[in-house]
Amino acid sequence: MEIKRGIAVSPGVVIGPAFVLDAESFRIPNRLVERDRLQDELQRLRQAFQAAAGDAHQNQAAINDKLGTQYGAIFGAHALLIEDPVLQREIEGLVREKSYAAEYAVSRVMRRHAKALESLKRGPFASRSADIFDIEKCLLRHLLGHRREHLQDLTEPVVVLAHDLTPSETASLDPKKVIAFATEAGGRASHTAIMAGALEIPAVVGLGRFVTDISGGDLVIVDGNRGVLILDPDPETQTRYELTRRNLRTFESDLIHLRDLPAETKDGTRILLLGNIEFPPEATHCVDRGADGVGLYRTEFLYLGKTTDPTEADHLDAYLTVLRLLGSKPVVIRTLDLGADKFSTNTEIVAEERNPFLGLRSVRLCLRNLTLFKTQMRAILRASAHGDVRILFPMVSTMLELRQCKMILAEVKEDLEDEGIAFNRDLPVGTMIEVPSAAIMSDQLAREVSYFSIGTNDLTQYTLAADRTNETVASLYSPGDPAVLRLIEMVVKAGQKHRIEVNVCGEMSGEPIYTLLLLGMGLRQLSVTPHNIPEIKKVIRSATLEEAGRVAQEAMCLETAKDVNNYLREQTRRILPEIVVP
Amino acid sequence: MRPMTAIIKCATRFDCDVTISNGPRRANGKSMIEMMGLDAEQGAEVVLEVSGPDAERALVPLAEILAKPEWSDPVPPENG
């Protein structure tokens, strides 16, 4: 049993068989075979060894001709590995004594050796694990014939394990078949993490190396609440997790019946609970959970992993899909919030940025790439003729920037007018408050927009100057930090003074321990991941504004994030004892 | 990899047991995977043991390969 810790990006606890996604997406169909099949298995194995050795010799001859014996020798070494009597004995031993299927035996033995090689510090052979994997693939290819299974061919629910998942792989995940996933790479804001949340599949990322320690079919536990991956759990651990899973499910099913109840405090104040989405189908989640609308439609996925920029039609198609699902409920569409580094079609020669988070991203990028910006604006405006659409600008850091965005918007409106295309002339315009300068200037910015959306993720990072994906400083990051709270308060007050709407759309809004605080500070709108809507609603319905106000006041007197979080946890448990908070 | 290939190919010709040791690590001289685990750097001193029917005949050829300058050569270029 091995316990690995990573970043929890999508909640839920799952126990299931591993599906290891390596570069060739091999899937080991069965771990064991019946005893009367053993002779057949051994025969298959021998044939595979012979065929693979044949391949290696052939390759050697061919490469000898083409590039010389120095390079051909590599395949000679491969042949020797395949023909290695010690390896063959080990693999056959597993089949004979433990009834392992040929594929499983090959994979287990190879991966064990690869791991052992990787732990060699000196010498030239530490990097030779790549050769072992090569042989493994070779043998599996022969054993499986052309029956290489892909993610699409899954026949039973699995936990997908990989180094990383590409956008197309994640997009094709079927939540019914992929019950969880875990990756070596990735951070909280990586597209893998976003997808997991969007698809509501429990997931942990940023685990570091582990894929080579496991074979397809092995049992694993993914704890998407705590960010833990357990490989090959022992029976005691399995039992413990089964219990946790059942407890969580009970709590969750209690929450489902909340769908049709309003998000209203005990003393009768209606709070708007909106949903954050990335993809059109997620709008269904919002509706299913009884959201009052979409408070944040992140549009980055239209750009990620594509070879060309999305056209106006691509944008419009996605927006209209969402609007159809949301009916008359409001939908806030945020313009592109990506950095230059994420762009495959970036035509501007941008030298690699030393500080991408302080660099050319979001509206800064858009203001330098007006075609990009205007295309998206056109689509948003056109969509506004079909539903309650609002536009939101990310990462605005100065008044000038905001005014520039509004000017471009005005130009696009004129263009559409000239072309006779319908749109809402009074399209509400809002800005994200996520850069500290914007929070500090919120009093001035409030005059120029219809609403604010506080992006607490980035606001917290920029304010505390800490990268939450950097484990060495991640502990500094907390939305409950007194500095962040003061900035939020500033923004809320500015909104109240100029009578504009203010909501919080960062993760903070979806964490139940902050609900009382946010309500008490004066917020009346929260935009959260659809998964969290029932839980937040429950907190709202268990609280009075008076209580919330007192809690907020107390919290604002505390000096450290730790004190704030502890206090809030305590207060939340007081009004809702059965809540499960980490 | 070349010296190892040569050793293994040679060792496999004989019936006797062949063991090569690098400090505490021991490897079956006919097994590529075990030889890789020897983790021997260039110029390392290794011990050759042979035992069995044709052990004496195996000793000299194997010792020659081990002693060759190739074994002390820099590692051949990585591929892929």
Side-chain angles (χ1 to χ4, degrees), chain A residues 71 74 77 80-81 84-86 113 117 120 122-124 127-128 132, chain B residues 1 4-5 25 28 30-34 36 39-41 75 77-79:
Chain A
Y71 292 91
I74 303 214
L80 282 180
L81 264 174
D84 188 327
V86 169
H113 282 290
L117 279 179
L120 295 183
R122 320 162 297 136
S127 58
R128 286 308 171 203
I132 307 289
Chain B
M1 287 275 230
M4 292 212 309
T5 306
R25 294 179 190 267
N28 176 344
K30 298 179 185 178
S31 162
M32 179 58 104
I33 194 76
E34 286 198 12
M36 281 166 80
D39 199 21
E41 281 177 343
V75 180
E78 302 269 294
N79 246 53

PDB file of all heavy atoms in Angstrom, chain A residues 71 74 77 80-81 84-86 113 117 120 122-124 127-128 132, chain B residues 1 4-5 25 28 30-34 36 39-41 75 77-79:
ATOM      1  N   TYR A  71      24.070   2.295 -33.036  1.00  0.00           N
ATOM      2  CA  TYR A  71      22.666   2.511 -32.709  1.00  0.00           C
ATOM      3  C   TYR A  71      21.884   1.211 -32.707  1.00  0.00           C
ATOM      4  O   TYR A  71      20.978   1.003 -31.915  1.00  0.00           O
ATOM      5  CB  TYR A  71      22.035   3.522 -33.672  1.00  0.00           C
ATOM      6  CG  TYR A  71      22.594   4.900 -33.466  1.00  0.00           C
ATOM      7  CD1 TYR A  71      23.702   5.338 -34.194  1.00  0.00           C
ATOM      8  CD2 TYR A  71      22.040   5.751 -32.511  1.00  0.00           C
ATOM      9  CE1 TYR A  71      24.238   6.593 -33.976  1.00  0.00           C
ATOM     10  CE2 TYR A  71      22.574   7.007 -32.293  1.00  0.00           C
ATOM     11  CZ  TYR A  71      23.667   7.424 -33.027  1.00  0.00           C
ATOM     12  OH  TYR A  71      24.204   8.658 -32.810  1.00  0.00           O
ATOM     13  N   ILE A  74      21.431  -0.841 -29.492  1.00  0.00           N
ATOM     14  CA  ILE A  74      20.362  -0.568 -28.524  1.00  0.00           C
ATOM     15  C   ILE A  74      19.281  -1.636 -28.625  1.00  0.00           C
ATOM     16  O   ILE A  74      18.771  -2.122 -27.617  1.00  0.00           O
ATOM     17  CB  ILE A  74      19.753   0.818 -28.784  1.00  0.00           C
ATOM     18  CG1 ILE A  74      20.877   1.842 -28.717  1.00  0.00           C
ATOM     19  CG2 ILE A  74      18.634   1.101 -27.806  1.00  0.00           C
ATOM     20  CD1 ILE A  74      20.539   3.156 -28.191  1.00  0.00           C
ATOM     21  N   ALA A  77      20.402  -4.842 -27.182  1.00  0.00           N
ATOM     22  CA  ALA A  77      20.213  -4.869 -25.730  1.00  0.00           C
ATOM     23  C   ALA A  77      18.759  -5.179 -25.392  1.00  0.00           C
ATOM     24  O   ALA A  77      18.473  -5.925 -24.458  1.00  0.00           O
ATOM     25  CB  ALA A  77      20.645  -3.545 -25.123  1.00  0.00           C
ATOM     26  N   LEU A  80      18.151  -8.772 -25.679  1.00  0.00           N
ATOM     27  CA  LEU A  80      18.678  -9.495 -24.517  1.00  0.00           C
ATOM     28  C   LEU A  80      17.756  -9.375 -23.316  1.00  0.00           C
ATOM     29  O   LEU A  80      17.600 -10.315 -22.536  1.00  0.00           O
ATOM     30  CB  LEU A  80      20.072  -8.975 -24.156  1.00  0.00           C
ATOM     31  CG  LEU A  80      21.207  -9.489 -25.056  1.00  0.00           C
ATOM     32  CD1 LEU A  80      22.530  -8.905 -24.609  1.00  0.00           C
ATOM     33  CD2 LEU A  80      21.263 -11.007 -25.057  1.00  0.00           C
ATOM     34  N   LEU A  81      17.134  -8.229 -23.177  1.00  0.00           N
ATOM     35  CA  LEU A  81      16.189  -8.046 -22.073  1.00  0.00           C
ATOM     36  C   LEU A  81      14.993  -8.971 -22.240  1.00  0.00           C
ATOM     37  O   LEU A  81      14.534  -9.605 -21.295  1.00  0.00           O
ATOM     38  CB  LEU A  81      15.689  -6.596 -22.028  1.00  0.00           C
ATOM     39  CG  LEU A  81      16.406  -5.639 -21.078  1.00  0.00           C
ATOM     40  CD1 LEU A  81      15.879  -4.228 -21.274  1.00  0.00           C
ATOM     41  CD2 LEU A  81      16.229  -6.080 -19.635  1.00  0.00           C
ATOM     42  N   ASP A  84      15.926 -12.401 -21.531  1.00  0.00           N
ATOM     43  CA  ASP A  84      16.516 -12.566 -20.203  1.00  0.00           C
ATOM     44  C   ASP A  84      15.832 -13.689 -19.433  1.00  0.00           C
ATOM     45  O   ASP A  84      14.628 -13.612 -19.157  1.00  0.00           O
ATOM     46  CB  ASP A  84      16.383 -11.243 -19.436  1.00  0.00           C
ATOM     47  CG  ASP A  84      17.141 -11.257 -18.118  1.00  0.00           C
ATOM     48  OD1 ASP A  84      17.236 -12.327 -17.496  1.00  0.00           O
ATOM     49  OD2 ASP A  84      17.630 -10.191 -17.726  1.00  0.00           O
ATOM     50  N   PRO A  85      16.578 -14.747 -19.089  1.00  0.00           N
ATOM     51  CA  PRO A  85      15.955 -15.894 -18.423  1.00  0.00           C
ATOM     52  C   PRO A  85      15.395 -15.533 -17.051  1.00  0.00           C
ATOM     53  O   PRO A  85      14.357 -16.071 -16.642  1.00  0.00           O
ATOM     54  CB  PRO A  85      17.110 -16.900 -18.293  1.00  0.00           C
ATOM     55  CG  PRO A  85      18.354 -16.095 -18.431  1.00  0.00           C
ATOM     56  CD  PRO A  85      18.025 -14.927 -19.298  1.00  0.00           C
ATOM     57  N   VAL A  86      16.058 -14.627 -16.362  1.00  0.00           N
ATOM     58  CA  VAL A  86      15.581 -14.229 -15.030  1.00  0.00           C
ATOM     59  C   VAL A  86      14.210 -13.564 -15.133  1.00  0.00           C
ATOM     60  O   VAL A  86      13.278 -13.879 -14.396  1.00  0.00           O
ATOM     61  CB  VAL A  86      16.601 -13.272 -14.362  1.00  0.00           C
ATOM     62  CG1 VAL A  86      16.007 -12.643 -13.121  1.00  0.00           C
ATOM     63  CG2 VAL A  86      17.881 -14.021 -14.041  1.00  0.00           C
ATOM     64  N   HIS A 113      10.821  -3.655 -11.835  1.00  0.00           N
ATOM     65  CA  HIS A 113      12.220  -3.462 -12.220  1.00  0.00           C
ATOM     66  C   HIS A 113      12.510  -2.034 -12.638  1.00  0.00           C
ATOM     67  O   HIS A 113      13.570  -1.488 -12.320  1.00  0.00           O
ATOM     68  CB  HIS A 113      12.597  -4.426 -13.354  1.00  0.00           C
ATOM     69  CG  HIS A 113      12.859  -5.814 -12.877  1.00  0.00           C
ATOM     70  ND1 HIS A 113      13.956  -6.136 -12.127  1.00  0.00           N
ATOM     71  CD2 HIS A 113      12.157  -6.961 -13.037  1.00  0.00           C
ATOM     72  CE1 HIS A 113      13.926  -7.442 -11.844  1.00  0.00           C
ATOM     73  NE2 HIS A 113      12.839  -7.959 -12.384  1.00  0.00           N
ATOM     74  N   LEU A 117      15.297   0.400 -10.992  1.00  0.00           N
ATOM     75  CA  LEU A 117      16.328   1.081 -11.770  1.00  0.00           C
ATOM     76  C   LEU A 117      16.312   2.572 -11.527  1.00  0.00           C
ATOM     77  O   LEU A 117      17.334   3.229 -11.470  1.00  0.00           O
ATOM     78  CB  LEU A 117      16.137   0.821 -13.271  1.00  0.00           C
ATOM     79  CG  LEU A 117      16.677  -0.503 -13.795  1.00  0.00           C
ATOM     80  CD1 LEU A 117      16.397  -0.612 -15.275  1.00  0.00           C
ATOM     81  CD2 LEU A 117      18.174  -0.609 -13.553  1.00  0.00           C
ATOM     82  N   LEU A 120      18.407   3.986  -8.756  1.00  0.00           N
ATOM     83  CA  LEU A 120      19.859   3.990  -8.853  1.00  0.00           C
ATOM     84  C   LEU A 120      20.326   5.421  -9.034  1.00  0.00           C
ATOM     85  O   LEU A 120      19.924   6.102  -9.959  1.00  0.00           O
ATOM     86  CB  LEU A 120      20.335   3.165 -10.055  1.00  0.00           C
ATOM     87  CG  LEU A 120      20.059   1.668 -10.040  1.00  0.00           C
ATOM     88  CD1 LEU A 120      20.658   1.036 -11.273  1.00  0.00           C
ATOM     89  CD2 LEU A 120      20.618   1.028  -8.787  1.00  0.00           C
ATOM     90  N   ARG A 122      23.746   6.641  -9.041  1.00  0.00           N
ATOM     91  CA  ARG A 122      24.904   6.851  -9.910  1.00  0.00           C
ATOM     92  C   ARG A 122      24.780   5.980 -11.143  1.00  0.00           C
ATOM     93  O   ARG A 122      23.788   5.302 -11.316  1.00  0.00           O
ATOM     94  CB  ARG A 122      26.190   6.434  -9.177  1.00  0.00           C
ATOM     95  CG  ARG A 122      26.252   6.803  -7.716  1.00  0.00           C
ATOM     96  CD  ARG A 122      27.306   5.992  -7.018  1.00  0.00           C
ATOM     97  NE  ARG A 122      27.011   4.570  -7.031  1.00  0.00           N
ATOM     98  CZ  ARG A 122      27.929   3.640  -7.300  1.00  0.00           C
ATOM     99  NH1 ARG A 122      29.164   3.983  -7.576  1.00  0.00           N
ATOM    100  NH2 ARG A 122      27.609   2.363  -7.285  1.00  0.00           N
ATOM    101  N   GLY A 123      25.783   5.957 -11.914  1.00  0.00           N
ATOM    102  CA  GLY A 123      25.820   5.026 -13.041  1.00  0.00           C
ATOM    103  C   GLY A 123      24.903   5.439 -14.175  1.00  0.00           C
ATOM    104  O   GLY A 123      24.009   6.249 -13.992  1.00  0.00           O
ATOM    105  N   PRO A 124      25.129   4.900 -15.315  1.00  0.00           N
ATOM    106  CA  PRO A 124      24.370   5.283 -16.502  1.00  0.00           C
ATOM    107  C   PRO A 124      23.012   4.602 -16.591  1.00  0.00           C
ATOM    108  O   PRO A 124      22.264   4.871 -17.514  1.00  0.00           O
ATOM    109  CB  PRO A 124      25.272   4.819 -17.643  1.00  0.00           C
ATOM    110  CG  PRO A 124      26.050   3.671 -17.078  1.00  0.00           C
ATOM    111  CD  PRO A 124      26.193   3.925 -15.605  1.00  0.00           C
ATOM    112  N   SER A 127      18.595   5.894 -16.058  1.00  0.00           N
ATOM    113  CA  SER A 127      17.647   6.325 -17.074  1.00  0.00           C
ATOM    114  C   SER A 127      17.166   5.168 -17.917  1.00  0.00           C
ATOM    115  O   SER A 127      16.374   5.341 -18.830  1.00  0.00           O
ATOM    116  CB  SER A 127      18.294   7.367 -17.970  1.00  0.00           C
ATOM    117  OG  SER A 127      19.453   6.796 -18.559  1.00  0.00           O
ATOM    118  N   ARG A 128      17.638   3.976 -17.606  1.00  0.00           N
ATOM    119  CA  ARG A 128      17.266   2.845 -18.443  1.00  0.00           C
ATOM    120  C   ARG A 128      15.861   2.342 -18.187  1.00  0.00           C
ATOM    121  O   ARG A 128      15.418   1.411 -18.844  1.00  0.00           O
ATOM    122  CB  ARG A 128      18.279   1.687 -18.228  1.00  0.00           C
ATOM    123  CG  ARG A 128      19.612   1.971 -18.886  1.00  0.00           C
ATOM    124  CD  ARG A 128      19.415   2.357 -20.326  1.00  0.00           C
ATOM    125  NE  ARG A 128      20.643   2.839 -20.940  1.00  0.00           N
ATOM    126  CZ  ARG A 128      20.681   3.628 -21.993  1.00  0.00           C
ATOM    127  NH1 ARG A 128      19.566   4.057 -22.532  1.00  0.00           N
ATOM    128  NH2 ARG A 128      21.825   3.988 -22.513  1.00  0.00           N
ATOM    129  N   ILE A 132      12.882  -0.395 -20.149  1.00  0.00           N
ATOM    130  CA  ILE A 132      11.989  -1.397 -19.559  1.00  0.00           C
ATOM    131  C   ILE A 132      10.555  -1.156 -20.010  1.00  0.00           C
ATOM    132  O   ILE A 132       9.825  -2.074 -20.364  1.00  0.00           O
ATOM    133  CB  ILE A 132      12.063  -1.368 -18.018  1.00  0.00           C
ATOM    134  CG1 ILE A 132      13.506  -1.477 -17.539  1.00  0.00           C
ATOM    135  CG2 ILE A 132      11.203  -2.456 -17.430  1.00  0.00           C
ATOM    136  CD1 ILE A 132      14.128  -2.814 -17.734  1.00  0.00           C
TER     137      ILE A 132
ATOM    138  N   MET B   1      25.684   0.307 -22.862  1.00  0.00           N
ATOM    139  CA  MET B   1      25.057  -1.012 -22.925  1.00  0.00           C
ATOM    140  C   MET B   1      25.933  -2.022 -23.646  1.00  0.00           C
ATOM    141  O   MET B   1      25.810  -3.212 -23.437  1.00  0.00           O
ATOM    142  CB  MET B   1      23.715  -0.916 -23.683  1.00  0.00           C
ATOM    143  CG  MET B   1      22.641  -0.239 -22.901  1.00  0.00           C
ATOM    144  SD  MET B   1      21.781  -1.338 -21.796  1.00  0.00           S
ATOM    145  CE  MET B   1      20.091  -1.004 -22.203  1.00  0.00           C
ATOM    146  N   MET B   4      27.956  -4.653 -21.658  1.00  0.00           N
ATOM    147  CA  MET B   4      27.068  -5.613 -21.021  1.00  0.00           C
ATOM    148  C   MET B   4      26.558  -6.608 -22.026  1.00  0.00           C
ATOM    149  O   MET B   4      26.461  -7.799 -21.746  1.00  0.00           O
ATOM    150  CB  MET B   4      25.894  -4.891 -20.374  1.00  0.00           C
ATOM    151  CG  MET B   4      26.335  -4.077 -19.215  1.00  0.00           C
ATOM    152  SD  MET B   4      25.071  -3.979 -17.959  1.00  0.00           S
ATOM    153  CE  MET B   4      23.710  -3.475 -18.939  1.00  0.00           C
ATOM    154  N   THR B   5      26.186  -6.108 -23.182  1.00  0.00           N
ATOM    155  CA  THR B   5      25.707  -7.006 -24.224  1.00  0.00           C
ATOM    156  C   THR B   5      26.763  -8.059 -24.518  1.00  0.00           C
ATOM    157  O   THR B   5      26.465  -9.257 -24.602  1.00  0.00           O
ATOM    158  CB  THR B   5      25.400  -6.203 -25.516  1.00  0.00           C
ATOM    159  OG1 THR B   5      24.514  -5.152 -25.179  1.00  0.00           O
ATOM    160  CG2 THR B   5      24.811  -7.086 -26.565  1.00  0.00           C
ATOM    161  N   ARG B  25      26.535  -5.325  -4.579  1.00  0.00           N
ATOM    162  CA  ARG B  25      25.561  -5.767  -5.578  1.00  0.00           C
ATOM    163  C   ARG B  25      26.079  -6.954  -6.362  1.00  0.00           C
ATOM    164  O   ARG B  25      27.217  -6.961  -6.805  1.00  0.00           O
ATOM    165  CB  ARG B  25      25.278  -4.623  -6.566  1.00  0.00           C
ATOM    166  CG  ARG B  25      24.579  -3.441  -5.930  1.00  0.00           C
ATOM    167  CD  ARG B  25      24.367  -2.355  -6.980  1.00  0.00           C
ATOM    168  NE  ARG B  25      23.912  -1.121  -6.381  1.00  0.00           N
ATOM    169  CZ  ARG B  25      22.645  -0.783  -6.250  1.00  0.00           C
ATOM    170  NH1 ARG B  25      21.706  -1.582  -6.683  1.00  0.00           N
ATOM    171  NH2 ARG B  25      22.310   0.360  -5.693  1.00  0.00           N
ATOM    172  N   ASN B  28      23.505 -11.834 -11.927  1.00  0.00           N
ATOM    173  CA  ASN B  28      23.644 -13.011 -12.777  1.00  0.00           C
ATOM    174  C   ASN B  28      24.159 -12.512 -14.121  1.00  0.00           C
ATOM    175  O   ASN B  28      23.519 -11.720 -14.793  1.00  0.00           O
ATOM    176  CB  ASN B  28      22.260 -13.677 -12.910  1.00  0.00           C
ATOM    177  CG  ASN B  28      22.270 -14.862 -13.857  1.00  0.00           C
ATOM    178  OD1 ASN B  28      23.193 -15.042 -14.645  1.00  0.00           O
ATOM    179  ND2 ASN B  28      21.233 -15.664 -13.761  1.00  0.00           N
ATOM    180  N   LYS B  30      24.172 -13.658 -16.923  1.00  0.00           N
ATOM    181  CA  LYS B  30      23.403 -14.003 -18.126  1.00  0.00           C
ATOM    182  C   LYS B  30      22.096 -13.212 -18.188  1.00  0.00           C
ATOM    183  O   LYS B  30      21.298 -13.389 -19.109  1.00  0.00           O
ATOM    184  CB  LYS B  30      23.074 -15.505 -18.131  1.00  0.00           C
ATOM    185  CG  LYS B  30      24.317 -16.389 -18.161  1.00  0.00           C
ATOM    186  CD  LYS B  30      23.957 -17.864 -18.133  1.00  0.00           C
ATOM    187  CE  LYS B  30      25.226 -18.697 -18.047  1.00  0.00           C
ATOM    188  NZ  LYS B  30      24.954 -20.133 -17.976  1.00  0.00           N
ATOM    189  N   SER B  31      21.874 -12.399 -17.194  1.00  0.00           N
ATOM    190  CA  SER B  31      20.606 -11.669 -17.127  1.00  0.00           C
ATOM    191  C   SER B  31      20.818 -10.169 -17.305  1.00  0.00           C
ATOM    192  O   SER B  31      21.478  -9.516 -16.498  1.00  0.00           O
ATOM    193  CB  SER B  31      19.934 -11.919 -15.773  1.00  0.00           C
ATOM    194  OG  SER B  31      18.957 -10.941 -15.529  1.00  0.00           O
ATOM    195  N   MET B  32      20.263  -9.622 -18.352  1.00  0.00           N
ATOM    196  CA  MET B  32      20.392  -8.211 -18.662  1.00  0.00           C
ATOM    197  C   MET B  32      19.820  -7.359 -17.537  1.00  0.00           C
ATOM    198  O   MET B  32      20.385  -6.354 -17.134  1.00  0.00           O
ATOM    199  CB  MET B  32      19.673  -7.899 -19.983  1.00  0.00           C
ATOM    200  CG  MET B  32      19.714  -6.439 -20.391  1.00  0.00           C
ATOM    201  SD  MET B  32      21.378  -5.781 -20.583  1.00  0.00           S
ATOM    202  CE  MET B  32      21.508  -5.730 -22.349  1.00  0.00           C
ATOM    203  N   ILE B  33      18.674  -7.786 -17.021  1.00  0.00           N
ATOM    204  CA  ILE B  33      18.028  -6.951 -16.014  1.00  0.00           C
ATOM    205  C   ILE B  33      18.862  -6.893 -14.740  1.00  0.00           C
ATOM    206  O   ILE B  33      19.004  -5.846 -14.118  1.00  0.00           O
ATOM    207  CB  ILE B  33      16.572  -7.430 -15.726  1.00  0.00           C
ATOM    208  CG1 ILE B  33      15.805  -6.365 -14.957  1.00  0.00           C
ATOM    209  CG2 ILE B  33      16.532  -8.748 -14.986  1.00  0.00           C
ATOM    210  CD1 ILE B  33      15.361  -5.205 -15.793  1.00  0.00           C
ATOM    211  N   GLU B  34      19.477  -8.016 -14.398  1.00  0.00           N
ATOM    212  CA  GLU B  34      20.302  -7.996 -13.189  1.00  0.00           C
ATOM    213  C   GLU B  34      21.582  -7.202 -13.428  1.00  0.00           C
ATOM    214  O   GLU B  34      22.055  -6.485 -12.544  1.00  0.00           O
ATOM    215  CB  GLU B  34      20.628  -9.421 -12.737  1.00  0.00           C
ATOM    216  CG  GLU B  34      19.425 -10.101 -12.117  1.00  0.00           C
ATOM    217  CD  GLU B  34      19.784 -11.318 -11.276  1.00  0.00           C
ATOM    218  OE1 GLU B  34      20.981 -11.515 -10.979  1.00  0.00           O
ATOM    219  OE2 GLU B  34      18.859 -12.074 -10.935  1.00  0.00           O
ATOM    220  N   MET B  36      21.940  -4.700 -15.349  1.00  0.00           N
ATOM    221  CA  MET B  36      21.616  -3.273 -15.325  1.00  0.00           C
ATOM    222  C   MET B  36      21.558  -2.775 -13.887  1.00  0.00           C
ATOM    223  O   MET B  36      21.937  -1.651 -13.583  1.00  0.00           O
ATOM    224  CB  MET B  36      20.270  -3.024 -16.016  1.00  0.00           C
ATOM    225  CG  MET B  36      20.397  -3.024 -17.522  1.00  0.00           C
ATOM    226  SD  MET B  36      18.804  -3.133 -18.361  1.00  0.00           S
ATOM    227  CE  MET B  36      18.237  -1.475 -18.263  1.00  0.00           C
ATOM    228  N   ASP B  39      24.683  -1.188 -11.556  1.00  0.00           N
ATOM    229  CA  ASP B  39      24.970   0.236 -11.381  1.00  0.00           C
ATOM    230  C   ASP B  39      26.473   0.512 -11.324  1.00  0.00           C
ATOM    231  O   ASP B  39      26.960   1.246 -10.466  1.00  0.00           O
ATOM    232  CB  ASP B  39      24.299   0.717 -10.078  1.00  0.00           C
ATOM    233  CG  ASP B  39      24.136   2.219 -10.053  1.00  0.00           C
ATOM    234  OD1 ASP B  39      24.158   2.837 -11.137  1.00  0.00           O
ATOM    235  OD2 ASP B  39      23.989   2.777  -8.962  1.00  0.00           O
ATOM    236  N   ALA B  40      27.191  -0.096 -12.256  1.00  0.00           N
ATOM    237  CA  ALA B  40      28.650   0.069 -12.233  1.00  0.00           C
ATOM    238  C   ALA B  40      29.065   1.254 -13.084  1.00  0.00           C
ATOM    239  O   ALA B  40      28.695   1.372 -14.242  1.00  0.00           O
ATOM    240  CB  ALA B  40      29.319  -1.192 -12.751  1.00  0.00           C
ATOM    241  N   GLU B  41      29.826   2.127 -12.507  1.00  0.00           N
ATOM    242  CA  GLU B  41      30.330   3.290 -13.254  1.00  0.00           C
ATOM    243  C   GLU B  41      31.568   2.895 -14.027  1.00  0.00           C
ATOM    244  O   GLU B  41      32.169   1.865 -13.762  1.00  0.00           O
ATOM    245  CB  GLU B  41      30.706   4.399 -12.283  1.00  0.00           C
ATOM    246  CG  GLU B  41      29.521   5.184 -11.776  1.00  0.00           C
ATOM    247  CD  GLU B  41      29.956   6.233 -10.764  1.00  0.00           C
ATOM    248  OE1 GLU B  41      31.071   6.116 -10.248  1.00  0.00           O
ATOM    249  OE2 GLU B  41      29.168   7.145 -10.507  1.00  0.00           O
ATOM    250  N   VAL B  75      29.792   6.458 -21.654  1.00  0.00           N
ATOM    251  CA  VAL B  75      28.514   5.834 -22.022  1.00  0.00           C
ATOM    252  C   VAL B  75      28.128   6.193 -23.448  1.00  0.00           C
ATOM    253  O   VAL B  75      28.248   7.352 -23.828  1.00  0.00           O
ATOM    254  CB  VAL B  75      27.404   6.336 -21.071  1.00  0.00           C
ATOM    255  CG1 VAL B  75      26.063   5.716 -21.410  1.00  0.00           C
ATOM    256  CG2 VAL B  75      27.798   5.999 -19.640  1.00  0.00           C
ATOM    257  N   PRO B  77      25.904   7.208 -26.682  1.00  0.00           N
ATOM    258  CA  PRO B  77      24.903   8.287 -26.698  1.00  0.00           C
ATOM    259  C   PRO B  77      23.504   7.755 -26.378  1.00  0.00           C
ATOM    260  O   PRO B  77      23.135   6.684 -26.812  1.00  0.00           O
ATOM    261  CB  PRO B  77      24.957   8.826 -28.123  1.00  0.00           C
ATOM    262  CG  PRO B  77      25.598   7.756 -28.930  1.00  0.00           C
ATOM    263  CD  PRO B  77      26.516   7.025 -28.015  1.00  0.00           C
ATOM    264  N   GLU B  78      22.763   8.562 -25.621  1.00  0.00           N
ATOM    265  CA  GLU B  78      21.391   8.211 -25.286  1.00  0.00           C
ATOM    266  C   GLU B  78      20.562   8.256 -26.551  1.00  0.00           C
ATOM    267  O   GLU B  78      20.817   9.071 -27.422  1.00  0.00           O
ATOM    268  CB  GLU B  78      20.797   9.235 -24.296  1.00  0.00           C
ATOM    269  CG  GLU B  78      21.578   9.377 -23.014  1.00  0.00           C
ATOM    270  CD  GLU B  78      21.094   8.436 -21.931  1.00  0.00           C
ATOM    271  OE1 GLU B  78      19.950   8.608 -21.477  1.00  0.00           O
ATOM    272  OE2 GLU B  78      21.850   7.556 -21.553  1.00  0.00           O
ATOM    273  N   ASN B  79      19.593   7.394 -26.636  1.00  0.00           N
ATOM    274  CA  ASN B  79      18.730   7.450 -27.812  1.00  0.00           C
ATOM    275  C   ASN B  79      17.280   7.623 -27.419  1.00  0.00           C
ATOM    276  O   ASN B  79      16.747   6.800 -26.727  1.00  0.00           O
ATOM    277  CB  ASN B  79      18.902   6.151 -28.625  1.00  0.00           C
ATOM    278  CG  ASN B  79      19.535   6.465 -29.956  1.00  0.00           C
ATOM    279  OD1 ASN B  79      20.578   7.106 -29.987  1.00  0.00           O
ATOM    280  ND2 ASN B  79      18.897   6.067 -31.027  1.00  0.00           N
TER     281      ASN B  79
END
